[in-house]
């Protein structure tokens, strides 16, 4: 290139010589190893060495992607939070609540919810970054869904104006979280139907 000339717009830039190319399959293997390591030993005892060993890679492969185990876990929690819960649109409050419970029951069986998050809730008291990430993974996206369910129900005349979406979320998801994540019990036949009916009745009271 002639000195003084700039690269034409739209011309792809080459990676600097010697720059590491991060393989996606290695990144995926490391993320999977983090879940396994967290479930096996918890955050406090988790180490980059253990993660690398489970992933079948060297420690440098982990450090190229994340500077610490904390940043690695925060990244995974953020990705989990982005998935969120889909907002149901069944045309009725009971249908929306029942659909939300169905999706949430599957989400709460995910390793992040059933094994990893309870351990991180303990660590959150010592790490504000973890507390914020757990809040995003557990609460922020679900609050948005609950607000949509309440808004639609109010528009249909099924709930009074001014119904609190946060209270709705507590009534709908709270018992399910307690049963699946805290108590770690199963769901008897008809449990979600009964819970939906109870939640709707509570919201209307």
């Amino acid at each position: 290139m002639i000195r003084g000339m700039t690269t034409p717009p739209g011309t792809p830039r080459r990676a600097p010589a010697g720059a590491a190319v991060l393989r996606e399959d290695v990144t995926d293997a490391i993320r999977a190893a983090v879940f396994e390591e967290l479930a096996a030993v918890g955050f406090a005892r988790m180490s980059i060495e253990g993660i690398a060993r489970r992933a079948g890679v060297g420690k440098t492969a982990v450090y190229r992607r994340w500077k610490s185990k904390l940043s690695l876990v925060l990244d995974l929690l953020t990705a989990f939070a982005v998935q969120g819960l889909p907002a149901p649109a069944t045309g009725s409050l009971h249908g929306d609540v029942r659909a939300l419970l169905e999706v949430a029951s599957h989400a709460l069986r995910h390793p992040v919810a059933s094994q990893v998050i309870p351990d991180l809730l303990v660590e959150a008291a010592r790490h504000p970054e973890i507390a914020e990430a757990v809040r995003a993974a557990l609460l922020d996206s679900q609050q948005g869904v609950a607000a949509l369910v309440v808004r639609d129900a109010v528009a249909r005349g099924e709930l009074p104006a001014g119904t609190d979406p946060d209270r709705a979320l507590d009534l709908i998801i709270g018992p399910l979280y307690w049963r699946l994540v805290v108590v770690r019990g199963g769901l008897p036949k008809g449990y979600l139907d009964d819970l939906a009916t109870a939640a709707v009745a509570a919201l209307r009271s």
Side-chain angles (χ1 to χ4, degrees):
M1 180 180 294
I2 301 175
R3 180 174 298 179
M5 292 184 63
T6 58
T7 303
T11 301
R13 295 183 177 181
R14 294 182 179 178
V21 178
L22 302 181
R23 291 170 45 189
E24 191 63 31
D25 60 328
V26 172
T27 302
D28 290 342
I30 294 171
R31 285 181 170 136
V34 172
F35 285 129
E36 295 173 5
E37 190 76 357
L38 276 171
V41 304
F43 179 82
R45 295 175 57 197
M46 185 180 76
S47 66
I48 295 296
E49 290 81 358
I51 292 168
R53 186 164 51 250
R54 284 182 184 272
V57 300
K59 289 191 299 182
T60 54
V62 181
Y63 282 118
R64 285 194 192 106
R65 292 160 173 83
W66 298 278
K67 62 182 180 180
S68 67
K69 70 175 186 179
L70 177 58
S71 63
L72 206 170
V73 170
L74 293 179
D75 177 61
L76 292 182
L77 278 177
T78 300
F80 182 72
V82 167
Q83 295 175 12
L85 295 176
T90 66
S92 74
L93 176 59
H94 187 278
D96 284 354
V97 170
R98 178 62 177 79
L100 185 56
L101 286 169
E102 184 69 36
V103 174
S105 69
H106 290 291
L108 290 174
R109 291 185 179 96
H110 190 283
V112 172
S114 63
Q115 295 175 288
V116 175
I117 286 179
D119 178 64
L120 291 180
L121 286 173
V122 177
E123 296 297 328
R126 294 188 290 270
H127 297 279
E129 303 96 329
I130 291 181
E132 182 60 32
V134 170
R135 175 183 172 83
L138 286 179
L139 185 60
D140 290 352
S141 60
Q142 286 87 338
Q143 280 181 321
V145 172
L148 291 174
V149 169
V150 169
R151 182 201 65 186
D152 291 346
V154 170
R156 289 190 298 261
E158 294 181 278
L159 287 177
T163 298
D164 185 0
D166 288 344
R167 177 173 178 265
L169 185 61
D170 291 344
L171 291 169
I172 296 168
I173 304 298
L176 191 62
Y177 182 86
W178 173 265
R179 187 177 189 95
L180 290 178
V181 179
V182 180
V183 178
R184 296 180 182 271
L187 298 182
K189 184 177 181 181
Y191 177 82
L192 294 182
D193 294 324
D194 293 342
L195 185 57
T197 299
V200 169
L203 286 170
R204 287 173 171 164
S205 64

